[in-house]
Amino acid sequence: MDSLKRLFQEMSEKAAFVFSNRRIVPSEGSMNSRVALIGEAPGGEEEKAGRPFVGKAGANLTAFLQSAGLSRDNLYITNVVKIRPSRLSDKTGAPVNRPPNKAELSFFTPYLLKELEAVAPEYVVTLGNCALRAVTGQPLNIGQTRGTLISVAGRNVFPLYHPAAIIYNRELTDVYEKDMKTLKTLLSNA
Ligand code: URA
């Protein structure tokens, strides 16, 4: 069994115990990808499909990738937290998404770092603050680092806004497109 499979198996077994059998949403894409995209955590759609970034944020992500001539098929896509962080809505009583909490982050971050060692991508593209901080271990801010290549512990990290940010702030569309193009140029020159 390869190291990534073993890692996910161990993570699933332990997470089932710690988080009472919440469904793990595994990563997607090839171990040979030059680029790993890291999101925050799966939402309801992702939990249902068992795949990362298939909901609204995923549609945004896919569109921005396409606009820069990049395809999801050539990327490794994963999340910091592999279960859906949720709470019950006061209004409907149904589960709704929430940001990951400390327990979830401290359980899953070491697995993410091991995952990155196994995949060893040339570029780690973090989507939003959560992934940026998990990958770098530093309290960096997406607004200040987005669209620039930073080197942390021997890793090339390229921070982007989280694609869900566009849903709430349309003005970020231009910034996002520009940053995707910068990424595309980086990849073509490497
Ligand atoms: N947001 C994320 O961060 N990850 C997903 O997989 C979906 C939405």
Side-chain angles (χ1 to χ4, degrees), residues 17 22 28 63 66 79 83-84 96 103 135 141 154-155 166 175 188:
F17 183 70
R22 298 301 308 274
E28 197 165 89
Q66 273 171 358
N79 282 300
I83 54 169
R84 175 195 186 193
V96 288
V135 167
N141 218 304
R155 264 189 201 113
I166 314 296
V175 176
S188 332

Side-chain angles (χ1 to χ4, degrees), residues 4 6 15 42 56 59 66 83 85 92 106 110 121 126 128 147 163-164 174 187-188:
L4 198 60
R6 234 189 340 257
K56 228 180 192 176
Q66 273 171 358
I83 54 169
T92 65
S106 50
T126 55
D174 291 348
L187 291 171
S188 332

Side-chain angles (χ1 to χ4, degrees), residues 25 38-43 46 51-55 57-58 78-79 127 162-164:
V25 176
I38 324 284
E40 179 175 293
E46 287 78 18
R51 292 181 57 204
F53 283 108
V54 292
T78 194
N79 282 300
L127 306 171
H162 192 283

Side-chain angles (χ1 to χ4, degrees), residues 7-187:
L7 187 69
F8 270 89
Q9 189 165 335
E10 182 197 314
M11 184 203 308
S12 304
E13 282 166 12
K14 290 203 177 145
F17 183 70
V18 177
F19 300 105
S20 33
N21 282 316
R22 298 301 308 274
R23 185 177 185 188
I24 290 269
V25 176
S27 60
E28 197 165 89
S30 156
M31 282 273 296
N32 302 321
S33 303
R34 293 177 66 201
V35 179
L37 287 189
I38 324 284
E40 179 175 293
E45 301 278 339
E46 287 78 18
E47 184 184 51
K48 233 184 273 161
R51 292 181 57 204
F53 283 108
V54 292
K56 228 180 192 176
N60 275 352
L61 179 65
T62 307
F64 281 116
L65 287 168
Q66 273 171 358
S67 77
L70 295 165
S71 159
R72 267 183 84 124
D73 301 342
N74 304 324
L75 306 167
Y76 180 85
I77 303 180
T78 194
N79 282 300
V80 178
V81 169
K82 306 291 196 288
I83 54 169
R84 175 195 186 193
S86 64
R87 62 176 176 81
L88 297 182
S89 157
D90 295 338
K91 273 192 204 149
T92 65
V96 288
N97 299 339
R98 60 160 171 76
N101 61 27
K102 270 201 184 141
E104 290 155 349
L105 288 169
S106 50
F107 178 89
F108 284 104
T109 300
Y111 284 110
L112 172 72
L113 298 179
K114 285 188 200 160
E115 199 182 341
L116 289 177
E117 303 245 300
V119 178
E122 279 170 57
Y123 295 97
V124 178
V125 176
T126 55
L127 306 171
N129 272 326
C130 173
L132 174 62
R133 292 169 186 165
V135 167
T136 62
Q138 294 173 21
L140 297 174
N141 218 304
I142 190 66
Q144 277 136 28
T145 52
R146 52 139 277 272
T148 59
L149 191 61
I150 52 181
S151 176
V152 182
R155 264 189 201 113
N156 289 323
V157 180
F158 189 80
L160 288 176
Y161 279 117
H162 192 283
I166 314 296
I167 301 170
Y168 306 109
N169 183 354
R170 284 271 142 203
E171 284 165 21
L172 291 184
T173 303
D174 291 348
V175 176
Y176 216 97
E177 270 179 1
K178 183 168 163 256
D179 292 350
M180 274 288 178
K181 288 208 175 99
T182 308
L183 175 63
K184 174 81 194 266
T185 311
L186 259 174
L187 291 171

